[in-house]
Amino acid sequence: MYDFLTCPDRTKSFSYKYKDMFDKNPDIPEGVIPFSVADMEFKNAPEIIEGLKKYIENTVLGYTAPSDGFIEAVCGWMEKRHDYHIEKEWIALSDGVVPALSDLIRSTTDEGDGVIILTPVYYPFKGSIEKNNRKVVNVDLLHDDSSYTIDFDGLKKAAADKNNKLIIFCNPHNPVGRVWTKEELKQVYDICVSNDVFIISDEIHNDLIMPGYEHTVMANVAEDAGKHMAVCTAPSKSFNLAGLQTSCIIIEDEDRRKAFINSRAKEHRGVVNALGMEACRVAYTECEKWLDECIEVIDGNAKYMKSFLNEHFPEVKVYPLEGTYLLWCDFGAYGLSCSELEEFNIKDVLLFTDEGYLFGEAGKGFERFNIACPRHKLEEAMQRLLNNSDKIRR
């Protein structure tokens, strides 16, 4: 029904990941795409494009408050897609989940407090903690050749330290692709609540769940769970709307919510993008079929890439993609340093991923592939990798 075969030409669109690709290697032939920053190489859903055209034709793009239709769409989507009932007043808006992390860190902790993260993890978590003069507390995920799990003993130890007041939790997890089970989430919740550790649950990838897996909103693990956390959501990953910078931060506790809003107000960031709110409303009310098809394409890409690497590069461990569109692959068996692996990708293969070391010490030797792209672009990249296989095996 939708076009997931066309790869839009973004080379002149001022896309961050294309700029980064050309900065690293200016001699890129036409048609090469990056597999790094987490936005999609797909056309936006036509309903969103047409909806925004209609909106622009009939409105003035001035300071704009959230419409009833927008708020109702958010509540309806969370109820329908995630069995997550929220009240309208729980929704606080932000110009992005990453900016919201800083606001939440400032509004729930003091300078010098510890903030727990489960590594390897999305690198702005660490940056947000450090830039707000808090202490990063790493708890490495456990993993074998097939999957990642949470180090609950390590988490218990970190949470028991009275200096550690907050955890930023990634659900589903970026970059390892885990969709945490309800039982795993309940254990995290119990450990944190029993130690008075507030939870930021980053669920920005919550709609991108592969067939056979089920996402559980952290706030659904216990009757009063929502009072102990902020659940961060957005349409930006699901519908490729990151440039519209509109996120919904769901905070049930009134005092916590007011503190978050006040943190934003101190920097005069009380409003969000008018087009972003309208795009979100259209996405949540008209584009569910587009999302379902998109997930089928991503799941197919993950299976193709795993099969290709297993056949031609059996040394590479490809971790299952349960959620997100980010495939996590371990190239450590080749014994290359981080710089050697990166140079091989950039100079030889013309392969631009997010290098694993960006996600912390536990990510060294890994590559994170953004596979939200037409299949033929992924096939071209894998062929370039195969053509240069002699250069990685030494």
Side-chain angles (χ1 to χ4, degrees), residues 35 145 300-321 326-334 341 344-345 349 351 353 365-371 375 378-389 392-393:
F35 298 87
D145 289 348
N301 283 352
K303 290 173 179 174
Y304 157 75
M305 190 165 160
K306 181 177 177 60
S307 175
F308 184 95
L309 291 174
N310 283 348
E311 178 180 355
H312 299 288
F313 296 89
E315 305 91 343
V316 176
K317 299 173 188 173
V318 182
Y319 284 85
L321 185 65
L326 307 165
L327 195 62
W328 188 237
C329 302
D330 183 0
F331 282 72
Y334 295 114
L341 181 57
F344 166 73
N345 285 330
V349 187
L351 183 61
T353 68
F366 286 77
E367 300 288 343
R368 191 193 76 170
F369 289 83
N370 174 352
I371 60 170
R375 172 71 62 82
L378 194 57
E379 291 172 347
E380 290 171 9
M382 290 299 98
Q383 189 59 51
R384 292 197 304 273
L385 183 62
L386 182 59
N387 292 343
N388 289 275
S389 59
I392 198 174
R393 296 186 172 102

Side-chain angles (χ1 to χ4, degrees), residues 143-276:
H143 70 97
D144 54 25
D145 289 348
S146 61
S147 187
Y148 277 80
T149 56
I150 295 168
D151 180 0
F152 289 108
D153 290 335
L155 179 57
K156 287 177 184 177
K157 183 178 179 180
D161 185 334
K162 298 303 180 183
N163 295 312
N164 300 334
K165 306 293 179 59
L166 179 68
I167 183 172
I168 307 178
F169 187 79
C170 204
N171 176 34
H173 194 91
N174 171 11
V176 308
R178 272 299 314 274
V179 172
W180 306 113
T181 66
K182 188 171 184 178
E183 291 72 24
E184 289 172 311
L185 294 172
K186 183 62 162 56
Q187 281 187 264
V188 172
Y189 169 79
D190 287 341
I191 291 168
C192 291
V193 171
S194 64
N195 288 282
D196 199 25
V197 172
F198 190 71
I199 302 167
I200 300 174
S201 186
D202 177 0
E203 305 197 12
I204 195 169
H205 291 275
N206 61 359
D207 295 321
L208 295 159
I209 308 302
M210 298 303 108
Y213 299 94
E214 182 177 353
H215 173 74
T216 300
V217 178
M218 175 72 89
N220 278 346
V221 299
E223 185 174 349
D224 295 325
K227 296 178 181 178
H228 302 277
M229 67 187 66
V231 178
C232 302
T233 70
S236 52
K237 303 303 179 188
S238 312
F239 297 97
N240 209 25
L241 300 173
L244 295 182
Q245 297 177 309
T246 301
S247 299
C248 296
I249 313 304
I250 302 164
I251 309 173
E252 186 172 342
D253 182 86
E254 185 176 4
D255 291 337
R256 299 277 194 184
R257 187 169 63 254
K258 286 181 178 178
F260 170 78
I261 293 170
N262 287 339
S263 178
R264 287 178 47 76
K266 287 178 182 178
E267 297 176 350
H268 301 282
R269 291 166 46 238
V271 296
V272 297
N273 191 308
L275 295 180

Side-chain angles (χ1 to χ4, degrees), residues 79 109 210:
E79 184 89 51
T109 65
M210 298 303 108

